[in-house]
Amino acid sequence: MVQAARVLNIPVLATEQNPSRLGKTVSEVDVTGVEVFEKKLFSMLIPPLEDRLKQLNVKQAVLFGIESHVCVLQTSLDLLEKGYEVHLVTDGVSSQRPFDRQIAIERLKTAGVFLTTSESALFQLIQSADHAKFKEISALVKAPPPIKDYGLFPQANL
């Protein structure tokens, strides 16, 4: 998703949960050129990031990340409360325990979050095979994920 955002010139804002203790973003997710904010709150909607969203004048957010049942959930709920339309990339979120992930996704769906997949979201963004970036996006969709299935993205029966 980060690579696709670069191709489509879509801003990406990321957070790292207490990186001095928990570490930086994994190398498989290349955050070069991405605005990264440090946080200790579970929600990523911290004041500097919220200010940046206002500067960008966006009304929609596409979320993916780890700890679906904590950080992703709280961020989604906070964004909804602030009037944002939230799209959750379900194959781009994980939790240590699959059941926590499943319950978080179900809760977010009930709260009004739009559930999607990375492929669906990307093709929705470009809308047509005539899009100037179609081939680049199509290649990204076909590429194997940077993190092979190590149980990070178990399929939930939703």
Side-chain angles (χ1 to χ4, degrees), residues 49-116:
L49 190 138
E50 189 172 357
D51 291 344
R52 185 63 179 124
L53 286 173
K54 288 175 186 172
Q55 290 171 358
L56 291 168
N57 195 31
V58 295
K59 301 294 181 215
Q60 298 175 321
V62 177
L63 292 182
F64 49 95
I66 58 172
E67 297 309 329
S68 309
H69 62 294
V70 181
C71 298
V72 175
L73 180 114
Q74 289 184 31
T75 299
S76 297
L77 296 175
D78 286 350
L79 286 167
L80 287 171
E81 185 178 301
K82 299 279 184 176
Y84 289 88
E85 183 178 287
V86 180
H87 299 261
L88 181 69
V89 181
T90 57
D91 57 331
V93 297
S94 66
S95 294
Q96 290 182 47
R97 290 175 293 281
F99 185 67
D100 286 335
R101 177 182 176 274
Q102 179 180 353
I103 294 303
I105 291 172
E106 289 178 13
R107 180 172 178 199
L108 290 171
K109 179 180 178 182
T110 302
V113 169
F114 294 99
L115 304 184
T116 190

Side-chain angles (χ1 to χ4, degrees), residues 1-15 25 29-37 44 49 52-53 56 58 60-64 122 125:
M1 292 302 293
V2 176
Q3 290 175 301
R6 278 191 197 99
V7 169
L8 297 172
N9 200 29
I10 296 171
V12 175
L13 306 178
T15 56
T25 302
V29 179
D30 179 7
V31 292
T32 305
V34 170
E35 294 180 70
V36 180
F37 300 81
M44 73 182 291
L49 190 138
R52 185 63 179 124
L53 286 173
L56 291 168
V58 295
Q60 298 175 321
V62 177
L63 292 182
F64 49 95
L122 292 174
L125 285 167

Side-chain angles (χ1 to χ4, degrees), residues 127-149:
Q127 297 184 344
S128 169
D130 291 332
H131 191 283
K133 302 292 184 175
F134 171 75
K135 287 188 180 193
E136 289 176 81
I137 295 300
S138 187
L140 287 173
V141 166
K142 292 176 185 175
I147 301 173
K148 298 204 181 342
D149 185 7

